[in-house]
């Protein structure tokens, strides 16, 4: 099982550049989310989606866009990269039915380490 | 909205020492609680979870956690740590019965020395 796959693993951007972080899962999970991980701040939710065509903002959405055209894919777009977006980004998925039942764990990708210079 | 506090940011232990990592949450209703572990260079993996029933839950690799409702706590314990337990540990919470936002604590970096 591939689980949750993120690409690329590492990326260096110049300030002002744009890019898309890819996330794909093969578990048919409805719920997908993006987190950023910063030292001393844990994981903070950027955006999430409860299914194809439905997205919503998390705790720190500014500077990021998402879309969900298929169940499998949930790309995260940086519109104009800033040094403050230097972070490790994790994509996660969860099955919605289990979320509603209050019984679910999140499955994480390997992460993308992004540096903005 | 729920929140999670982990008071120990960095912990250094010798092999065979006992471990207890603190986790406190804030939320007005019932919650589901998790501990995740992140080994160096790897993604987060679930260690254990509490939904209901016995407040003492056992996870993988000899870890356990106790939910104390009156203290809003879910501390992680292991009687004897190993060098391979060196990792970052995250406590997380989500509201019971349909809450789709998983909120993480700031993490505790554990280093186990030989």
């Amino acid at each position: 099982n591939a689980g949750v796959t993120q690409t690329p693993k590492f990326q260096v951007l110049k300030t002002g550049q744009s890019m898309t972080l890819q996330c794909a899962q093969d578990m048919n999970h409805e719920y997908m989310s993006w987190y950023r991980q910063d030292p001393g701040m844990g994981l903070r939710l950027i955006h999430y989606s409860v299914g194809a065509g439905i997205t919503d903002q998390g705790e720190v959405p500014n500077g990021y866009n998402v879309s969900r055209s298929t169940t499998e894919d949930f790309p995260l777009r940086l519109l104009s990269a800033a040094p403050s977006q230097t972070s490790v980004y994790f994509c996660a998925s969860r099955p919605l039915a289990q979320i509603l039942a209050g019984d679910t764990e999140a499955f994480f990708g390997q992460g993308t380490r992004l540096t903005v210079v | 909205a729920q929140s999670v506090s982990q008071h120990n940011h960095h912990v250094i232990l010798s092999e065979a020492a006992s471990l207890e990592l603190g986790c406190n949450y804030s939320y007005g209703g019932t919650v589901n609680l998790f501990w995740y572990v992140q080994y160096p260079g790897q993604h987060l993996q679930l260690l254990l979870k509490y939904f209901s029933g016995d407040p003492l839950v056992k996870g993988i690799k000899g870890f356990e956690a106790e939910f104390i409702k009156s203290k809003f706590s879910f501390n992680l314990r292991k009687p004897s740590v190993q060098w391979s337990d060196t990792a970052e540990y995250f406590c997380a919470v989500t509201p019971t019965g349909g809450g789709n936002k998983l909120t993480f604590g700031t993490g505790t970096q554990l280093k186990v020395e030989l």
Side-chain angles (χ1 to χ4, degrees):
Chain A
N1 269 347
V4 180
T5 303
Q6 288 183 238
T7 56
K9 288 188 170 53
F10 301 93
Q11 183 71 49
V12 179
L13 288 179
K14 293 182 180 178
T15 297
Q17 285 185 315
S18 63
M19 81 158 293
T20 300
L21 308 185
Q22 301 291 344
C23 175
Q25 53 94 8
D26 62 359
M27 297 174 283
N28 206 31
H29 289 170
E30 297 89 345
Y31 184 86
M32 296 183 75
S33 52
W34 276 101
Y35 291 87
R36 58 177 290 173
Q37 182 185 22
D38 301 292
M41 304 190 77
L43 279 82
R44 292 180 292 168
L45 183 64
I46 305 172
H47 284 285
Y48 65 96
S49 168
V50 298
I54 307 170
T55 63
D56 205 347
Q57 296 181 349
E59 183 184 352
V60 288
N62 292 342
Y64 307 95
N65 271 359
V66 291
S67 60
R68 185 90 179 273
S69 56
T70 66
T71 299
E72 294 77 20
D73 300 299
F74 190 43
L76 178 73
R77 296 184 189 83
L78 280 70
L79 308 172
S80 176
S84 61
Q85 293 179 303
T86 294
S87 187
V88 180
Y89 291 86
F90 287 98
C91 178
S93 75
R94 299 156 77 192
L96 190 59
Q98 286 182 270
I99 293 175
L100 296 175
D103 177 8
T104 181
E105 65 180 271
F107 295 84
F108 285 86
Q110 298 276 2
T112 296
R113 185 173 294 275
L114 175 67
T115 302
V116 183
V117 298
Chain B
Q2 65 268 30
S3 65
V4 181
S5 297
Q6 292 181 244
H7 305 296
N8 314 104
H9 298 297
H10 292 90
V11 174
I12 301 174
L13 294 173
S14 299
E15 267 205 328
S18 64
L19 169 72
E20 181 161 3
L21 301 182
C23 171
N24 288 90
Y25 70 92
S26 174
Y27 183 69
T30 57
V31 295
N32 297 333
L33 295 153
F34 306 81
W35 275 98
Y36 283 84
V37 60
Q38 185 180 27
Y39 297 105
Q42 296 189 26
H43 62 93
L44 279 80
Q45 304 168 45
L46 184 69
L47 260 184
L48 49 78
K49 58 187 178 183
Y50 171 81
F51 293 137
S52 62
D54 189 344
L56 183 63
V57 293
K58 295 190 184 299
I60 60 172
K61 303 186 180 184
F63 286 91
E64 65 179 31
E66 185 175 13
F67 171 49
I68 302 179
K69 190 175 180 180
S70 60
K71 295 185 178 180
F72 297 90
S73 70
F74 189 56
N75 292 355
L76 181 70
R77 300 194 293 249
K78 186 172 184 179
S80 176
V81 295
Q82 300 173 314
W83 177 80
S84 58
D85 292 325
T86 294
E88 190 158 16
Y89 293 80
F90 293 93
C91 183
V93 63
T94 187
T96 300
N100 57 30
K101 290 188 180 178
L102 190 59
T103 301
F104 287 85
T106 53
T108 297
Q109 186 69 52
L110 171 66
K111 182 178 180 182
V112 180
E113 297 178 331
L114 295 170

